[in-house]
Amino acid sequence: MPASASLAIAQRSLGDPDIRYPLWPPLLKGCPRTSSDAMSYPVEVEYDHTRVPADFLSGTGAGFGFGTGAGLDRWSALLPPLLAPTLGEGGTPLIDIGGGVFIKDESRNPTWSHKDRLNRCTVSAALGVDAPGIVVASSGNHGASAAAYAARAGLRCVVLGSAELPPAVASFLTAYGAVVLPVPVEHRWPLTERIVDHFGFFPVSNLTPFHTGSSFGPEGYKTVAYEIAAEVGVPGAVFVPTGYGELLFGIGKGFAELRQLGLTDRVPPLYSCEPAAGGPLATAVRRKVPGAQVPVGATDAYGIDCPVNSYRGVLALERSGGRPLLVDDAQLRAAQEELAAQGLWSELSAAAGLAGLRSAAPEVEGPVVCVTTSSGFQDIGVGARTLAPVDPSWESVLDRLTAAGIGPA
């Protein structure tokens, strides 16, 4: 295994922090000692914090052998071993849209979503165990990102998409040479396990009833917190589009590590923003249980319409003093339009953070950060709209512009 700047030393159970496992191999089904058929507890990566350089936030760690690159490589001390080649993920802009609100625009990652931070780490895990390829159950951002990082690392990739895969998304998933198999949704995860068993592929999707997923993947999301803190300090609150809660957990863990290291003085409250059509994390918090399963109603926010949560999300809210929020499609569309008016094209699901802020309007001190997770390219129906040709005569063009509210100089 190549040398790494990582200070990762073990895997630790989130079900019982006193339970530890070796760093390798990455556990794929959560903590085997605390999980059961009723609940799946994830594991996280543990680090030797005593060796983190004092200039972790502000510098490059020169002289320590850490943080010698940009993007995720800058933070390699507190990430799992980054064995997969980079595509330039991370380092996304923090955009001030006024009123003390900043947008952390994750659509600026190489495959236009936050999933690139996760998949740099998951594909690194696959390389670390000498897997010949990866398999992912996804019909969007996660699948495209996994396929791109697999291609960059020289691994084969199988993407199990939905049978209703839109043509534009299918093109995106296949662009990186992945084998894309559209199948009924309920067959995706059993087939994932069969592919793992038969071909020895590394799964970068969840394999448990309540989401646990790869222990390495969510660690990549900590870098969102590091970047925010390095640019504006600790914000008054962070609003996060939430499906299974991996991004929420990673951001919370990142801020908690900075406080533990004495580089900041607090962790901001995190607000999970889920579709009101489902909301398993909000349900779990309300019931005071580690996980919940809910029916998912009609919503166009398909990227985060999950029927179950992960215990990671519950922990992130508890540890940060935040709370869950539910947003409906009308609120999501209003937020999406507000972002577009600022020049930001976001997927409907990705606008959930801003929608949560606008619907909850909590009173906080300092700047507020809303994470947008992906490009509007992923939305349902993108590419289906066509524009009819316009009569090029000046009179016709003038009529159209006047109707659009554009007046003379």
Side-chain angles (χ1 to χ4, degrees):
M1 196 181 308
S4 169
S6 173
L7 295 177
I9 54 176
Q11 297 177 89
R12 178 171 55 193
S13 172
L14 291 176
D16 181 347
D18 291 329
I19 298 175
R20 287 173 171 80
Y21 303 93
L23 183 63
W24 297 98
L27 295 178
L28 302 173
K29 294 187 177 182
C31 174
R33 290 171 59 185
T34 59
S35 298
S36 65
D37 292 340
M39 187 59 216
S40 312
Y41 289 100
V43 293
E44 63 176 342
V45 177
E46 185 178 19
Y47 303 85
D48 180 0
H49 289 105
T50 64
R51 296 178 57 209
V52 176
D55 66 347
F56 179 75
L57 265 186
S58 60
T60 61
F64 291 86
F66 305 130
T68 55
L72 260 63
D73 293 282
R74 174 181 175 184
W75 315 109
S76 57
L78 291 181
L79 292 175
L82 295 176
L83 307 181
T86 184
L87 284 170
E89 65 290 327
T92 57
L94 194 62
I95 300 168
D96 185 351
I97 64 169
V101 178
F102 289 80
I103 302 299
K104 183 62 170 168
D105 184 9
E106 288 294 286
S107 74
R108 310 296 183 91
N109 279 297
T111 71
W112 314 333
S113 88
H114 66 303
K115 293 291 186 179
D116 291 344
R117 297 181 191 261
L118 176 141
N119 280 311
R120 174 84 188 279
C121 296
T122 59
V123 173
S124 291
L127 290 172
V129 297
D130 296 321
I134 64 170
V135 56
V136 54
S138 171
S139 292
N141 294 315
H142 185 30
S145 175
Y149 280 84
R152 177 77 169 133
L155 299 179
R156 298 303 306 272
C157 178
V158 176
V159 180
L160 296 165
S162 69
E164 297 79 28
L165 197 63
V169 176
S171 297
F172 192 24
L173 294 173
T174 57
Y176 304 108
V179 177
V180 180
L181 305 175
V183 297
V185 170
E186 65 274 14
H187 291 276
R188 289 194 290 177
W189 288 274
L191 285 171
T192 297
E193 293 215 62
R194 292 292 297 271
I195 290 169
V196 170
D197 293 341
H198 189 80
F199 296 101
F201 277 25
F202 188 89
V204 298
S205 291
N206 176 62
L207 298 176
T208 55
F210 287 90
H211 193 283
T212 56
S214 164
S215 58
F216 278 28
E219 299 293 313
Y221 291 141
K222 298 188 304 183
T223 58
V224 174
Y226 302 157
E227 290 171 14
I228 292 171
E231 191 165 347
V232 297
V234 180
V238 182
F239 291 77
V240 185
T242 301
Y244 292 123
E246 289 181 309
L247 176 61
L248 186 76
F249 174 80
I251 293 173
K253 183 176 179 181
F255 278 114
E257 284 178 326
L258 295 178
R259 182 180 62 180
Q260 179 182 347
L261 291 166
L263 300 176
T264 61
D265 61 354
R266 60 190 174 86
V267 174
L270 304 183
Y271 292 83
S272 60
C273 305
E274 300 176 280
L281 177 54
T283 301
V285 170
R286 186 178 67 252
R287 294 177 181 172
K288 298 181 179 180
V289 295
Q293 184 168 9
V294 300
V296 178
T299 175
D300 286 337
Y302 75 96
I304 53 175
D305 62 343
C306 301
V308 299
N309 67 291
S310 168
Y311 183 53
R312 288 188 180 100
V314 174
L315 285 179
L317 296 181
E318 286 180 353
R319 292 172 174 176
S320 73
R323 62 186 175 91
L325 302 173
L326 297 174
V327 291
D328 60 30
D329 278 21
Q331 292 168 320
L332 288 166
R333 293 194 190 287
Q336 188 181 45
E337 291 171 4
E338 181 180 349
L339 291 166
Q342 294 285 343
L344 302 171
W345 188 36
S346 296
E347 181 183 355
L348 191 67
S349 297
L354 183 60
L357 170 65
R358 297 309 188 206
S359 65
E363 294 198 10
V364 296
E365 294 184 9
V368 170
V369 174
C370 298
V371 180
T372 57
T373 48
S374 58
S375 160
F377 169 78
Q378 291 282 13
D379 263 339
I380 295 172
V382 168
R385 180 185 179 190
T386 58
L387 299 176
V390 173
D391 178 356
S393 69
W394 173 242
E395 291 77 10
S396 177
V397 169
L398 183 60
D399 286 345
R400 291 288 292 270
L401 296 179
T402 301
I406 299 176

